[in-house]
Amino acid sequence: MVKIPFHLLNIFGERRMGGCPVVICETTKRPDPAVAQRLAYQFCAPETGFLETRSQSWTAYTPQLALPYSTAVALGASSIAAQIAIGAPTIGYKKNDLWWVQTPAGHARAAQVDNLALAAALGLNPADLSGPLLWVDSDFTQLVVPLRARQHVLQVAPRLDLLMSALGNPHQLLQIALWSNDGEVLTLRAFTADPFHLQEDFGAGSAAAAIGHWFIANGNTPPFSFRIEQGHTIHRRISPLSVLYLDVDAQRRVAIGGRVWELGSGELEVDGI
């Protein structure tokens, strides 16, 4: 029997009990993937991370699958690494009360998508789409869809069948970032879909990073930064606002920042990790 300390955090919340719930577990070695996946399912948080205290490396899981990268888990792991004093955090860094992480390098390519079909799949008019649609390959491949106004982002009501048809019925997990630019504040909604399920993502750091790569690909000269707001229209009884900060430096490195709040901690007893 192994005892595993864990921490319940809120990431990207401007206040406690805001933002995205994330669980960070402390382990001395990389956990068996099957055990880690079962634990993530038990926690049932949007994302669960396992911080290896010897190497300060981490892995991330949703309740159903492993993630190649998670900005939220990276921020949470950075905060816990500093808190438990296992050495200078190498995962992320803290600046001006925000935790920051550099996101994986990415590149963008044009999306050959019929605007009429995509707009119908999103519950919008074709005129609501703005600017080029790009696939951004970074930690995930995401379709980045700029919209003309904040109200269009709020009105998005995607239909899974029409969406999959408009995008050529992809077999892989699909992520879409829909956003509008209102000066220095962007409004964001993000969705993950497969052929059978569609869900709205909360505290979507990877979507925020993809927007940074979209700006670079469209000729915007760094450095530049934005505040990104998400959560206004997630139709749940509880939908706290997420606030993410996007920073692109002169070397075109994309960083995502946000506040990290620890709500509580405990200890698990687990076999086979």
Side-chain angles (χ1 to χ4, degrees), residues 99-160:
W99 280 98
W100 293 86
V101 291
Q102 297 283 347
T103 64
H107 65 276
R109 54 189 169 88
Q112 304 301 321
V113 178
D114 181 83
N115 282 10
L116 183 63
L118 179 62
L122 297 174
L124 298 174
N125 296 315
D128 299 338
L129 306 181
S130 172
L133 310 182
L134 298 181
W135 291 107
V136 174
D137 299 321
S138 183
D139 51 330
F140 300 98
T141 299
Q142 300 189 56
L143 179 63
V144 181
V145 181
L147 301 180
R148 291 194 179 279
R150 182 176 183 269
Q151 70 183 57
H152 300 138
V153 179
L154 306 185
Q155 291 170 357
V156 167
R159 276 187 51 181
L160 178 60

Side-chain angles (χ1 to χ4, degrees), residues 10-21 46 150 154 188-189 200-203 229-243:
N10 276 142
I11 312 294
F12 303 127
E14 292 294 87
R15 300 179 179 178
R16 290 176 62 87
M17 304 292 286
C20 180
R150 182 176 183 269
L154 306 185
L188 167 67
R189 293 178 73 187
E200 187 162 2
D201 299 326
F202 200 34
E229 295 184 354
Q230 185 187 17
H232 293 288
T233 59
I234 296 178
H235 299 296
R236 302 173 179 172
R237 291 187 176 183
I238 299 176
S239 56
L241 177 68
S242 285
V243 177

Side-chain angles (χ1 to χ4, degrees), residues 170-183:
H171 296 292
Q172 73 274 19
L173 199 66
L174 172 70
Q175 291 198 308
I176 304 176
L178 303 121
W179 60 281
S180 66
N181 185 353
D182 303 296

